[in-house]
């Protein structure tokens, strides 16, 4: 049974931000089932694509292709399916077919995607040519900077200065970060695991994988992964901080939490969060005076920090009450 197709006024599954009727539906050249009997088939295919059901979407697009009035849109969608399945060679071929007939306003984005798939196929010369073509089609600062970085990576690969897997690891990490922005943490973790296998000495990959595991509530894996990150990069303050948060909030191991926050503050003395959480760990370990010192340091770095201000008031009040409770009776009467 097919899923509910995309409605005319629904957001377009391609991610453009436009309504379907003003984007991919318009590109197909059809506006109603009377114009083309495959419109419902195509709408369902885009729905499946938006839900990342690659094989189902691909089958429907293939059925819609023979009667399409704008075949480049179908080839582009099929390429997206192959890309989602990490079938680089077929994605490259489909993008190439889309570029044969696409309008000028689609050449830039399709050329960029074609270049990426060529690089993922390790066809470095073709990838470089396509990236340079893209730069000529979209000569703005953002695209230029992004492509310059990718071209530098390819040059380093061709010169033998870095392993050829670095490019693929870079792509996997970029897509993992996009998945995390969309809160698809399981998908992100899978991509980051692939990236780590390709580039095992990249601390940033392990850090982001630790974040993904944390959101997946797999704290043990997160701790192991953050530990791998700091082994590669001992200055990774955020990794120490995140380990501290897991020990503090989930494991209730306040000594280990304190050790991690101490390390984070040591490698980055101005790390406000690390100083604040050191105070929380000290308080839970029964050292209120040391906790106050940490929160005072927090305020030194961030004078408007409301949490530190409230913690100082709260713990100072508790210490005053405890002091009064210990005072001799005559002293209490005088006060």
């Amino acid at each position: 049974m097919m899923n509910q197709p995309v409605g005319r006024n629904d957001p377009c599954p391609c991610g453009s931000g436009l309504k379907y009727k003003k984007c991919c539906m318009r590109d197909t050249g059809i506006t109603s089932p009377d114009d083309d009997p495959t419109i419902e088939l195509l709408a369902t295919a885009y729905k499946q694509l938006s839900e990342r059901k690659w094989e189902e979407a691909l089958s429907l697009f293939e059925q819609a292709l023979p009667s399409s009035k704008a075949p480049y849109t179908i080839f582009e969608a099929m390429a997206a399916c192959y890309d989602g399945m990490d079938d680089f060679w077929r994605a490259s071929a489909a993008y190439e077919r889309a570029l044969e007939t696409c309008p000028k306003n689609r050449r830039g984005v399709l050329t960029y995607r074609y270049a990426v798939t060529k690089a993922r196929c390790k066809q470095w010369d073709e990838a470089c040519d396509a990236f340079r073509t893209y730069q000529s089609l979209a000569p703005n600062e953002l695209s230029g900077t992004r492509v310059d970085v990718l071209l530098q990576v390819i040059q380093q690969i061709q010169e033998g200065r870095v392993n050829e897997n670095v490019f693929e690891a870079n792509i996997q990490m970029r897509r993992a970060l996009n998945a995390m922005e969309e809160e698809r943490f399981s998908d992100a973790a899978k991509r980051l695991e692939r990236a780590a296998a390709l580039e095992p000495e990249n601390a940033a990959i392990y850090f982001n994988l630790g974040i993904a595991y944390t959101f997946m509530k797999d704290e043990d894996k997160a701790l192991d992964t953050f530990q791998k990150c700091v082994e590669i990069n001992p200055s990774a303050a955020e990794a120490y901080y995140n380990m501290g948060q897991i020990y503090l909030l989930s494991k209730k191991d306040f000594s280990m939490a304190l050790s991690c926050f101490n390390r984070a503050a040591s490698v980055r003395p101005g790390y406000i969060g690390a100083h604040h959480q050191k105070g929380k760990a000290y308080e839970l370990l029964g050292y209120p005076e040391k906790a106050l010192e940490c929160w005072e340091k927090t305020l030194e770095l961030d004078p408007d920090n409301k949490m530190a201000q409230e913690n100082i008031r709260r713990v100072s009040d508790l210490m005053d009450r405890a002091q009064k409770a210990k005072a001799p009776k005559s002293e209490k009467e005088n006060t």
Side-chain angles (χ1 to χ4, degrees):
M1 182 176 180
M2 292 184 181
N3 288 358
Q4 182 70 25
V6 181
R8 288 168 50 82
N9 293 311
D10 290 340
C12 189
C14 76
S16 66
L18 299 174
K19 290 183 178 180
Y20 176 58
K21 67 182 179 183
K22 293 185 177 181
C23 190
C24 288
M25 180 175 176
R26 178 190 61 191
D27 288 343
T28 63
I30 53 179
T31 57
S32 74
D34 294 334
D35 296 326
D36 192 319
T38 65
I39 184 170
E40 290 190 11
L41 176 70
L42 198 56
T44 303
Y46 278 111
K47 185 73 171 178
Q48 299 278 31
L49 176 62
S50 72
E51 295 175 355
R52 311 177 69 80
K53 297 178 180 177
W54 312 121
E55 293 183 359
E56 294 90 333
L58 187 60
S59 175
L60 295 172
F61 284 126
E62 288 172 342
Q63 294 176 50
L65 181 60
S67 57
S68 173
K69 296 181 180 181
Y72 82 89
T73 62
I74 306 296
F75 283 119
E76 180 179 356
M78 291 171 66
C81 293
Y82 287 128
D83 207 352
M85 298 160 65
D86 286 332
D87 189 338
F88 321 137
W89 293 92
R90 291 185 181 180
S92 173
Y95 281 128
E96 193 167 13
R97 293 293 302 276
L99 281 164
E100 290 173 359
T101 58
C102 73
K104 185 177 179 179
N105 66 351
R106 292 299 295 169
R107 291 198 66 80
V109 65
L110 287 174
T111 300
Y112 175 79
R113 292 173 182 172
Y114 172 70
V116 170
T117 57
K118 280 295 182 183
R120 297 183 79 186
C121 294
K122 301 181 181 179
Q123 295 182 303
W124 307 119
D125 290 336
E126 293 91 332
C128 287
D129 289 343
F131 278 129
R132 292 190 183 102
T133 300
Y134 168 72
Q135 286 180 313
S136 69
L137 293 169
N140 62 68
E141 183 177 351
L142 178 61
S143 65
T145 301
R146 177 176 58 189
V147 173
D148 283 342
V149 170
L150 294 175
L151 285 170
Q152 287 173 10
V153 171
I154 293 175
Q155 182 179 353
Q156 290 172 348
I157 290 170
Q158 290 180 310
E159 292 173 354
R161 287 188 283 156
V162 298
N163 188 284
E164 64 181 9
N165 290 329
V166 167
F167 188 92
E168 178 62 20
N170 184 289
I171 294 299
Q172 291 291 351
M173 186 159 74
R174 286 173 181 267
R175 294 187 176 185
L177 294 176
N178 289 337
M180 284 201 279
E181 287 181 5
E182 297 171 4
E183 299 185 358
R184 294 185 289 106
F185 300 112
S186 180
D187 288 344
K190 291 175 183 176
R191 288 195 176 278
L192 289 164
E193 287 165 354
R194 291 179 210 157
L198 293 167
E199 196 178 1
E201 296 303 313
N202 188 326
I205 293 174
Y206 289 102
F207 174 76
N208 286 293
L209 182 54
I211 296 293
Y213 285 146
T214 300
F215 277 107
M216 293 166 64
K217 307 297 183 185
D218 195 339
E219 287 88 359
D220 290 332
K221 278 190 176 180
L223 287 172
D224 289 343
T225 309
F226 285 131
Q227 182 61 41
K228 181 65 175 177
C229 172
V230 298
E231 288 172 5
I232 298 170
N233 178 16
S235 298
E238 294 90 346
Y240 288 115
Y241 177 86
N242 280 287
M243 291 169 71
Q245 287 290 81
I246 293 172
Y247 282 121
L248 183 76
L249 302 175
S250 298
K251 301 294 186 181
K252 307 299 181 185
D253 188 337
F254 308 130
S255 294
M256 283 296 296
L258 179 60
S259 175
C260 292
F261 293 133
N262 265 326
R263 185 61 177 164
S266 174
V267 298
R268 190 194 297 174
Y271 198 156
I272 296 167
H275 288 289
H276 183 273
Q277 294 304 84
K278 274 177 62 178
K280 292 297 295 180
Y282 271 128
E283 180 188 7
L284 291 166
L285 287 167
Y287 299 105
E289 296 88 353
K290 288 186 176 291
L292 290 174
E293 290 176 11
C294 294
W295 293 326
E296 286 164 1
K297 178 65 177 179
T298 303
L299 290 179
E300 180 184 319
L301 296 167
D302 179 17
D304 296 324
N305 192 295
K306 302 297 184 185
M307 293 180 67
Q309 292 171 356
E310 175 56 32
N311 284 330
I312 288 173
R313 282 194 295 269
R314 178 179 55 79
V315 172
S316 295
D317 183 56
L318 290 173
M319 290 174 66
D320 288 342
R321 292 182 184 180
Q323 188 64 33
K324 289 177 181 178
K326 292 179 181 178
K329 183 177 181 180
S330 60
E331 199 173 310
K332 293 180 184 177
E333 290 173 351
N334 291 333
T335 57

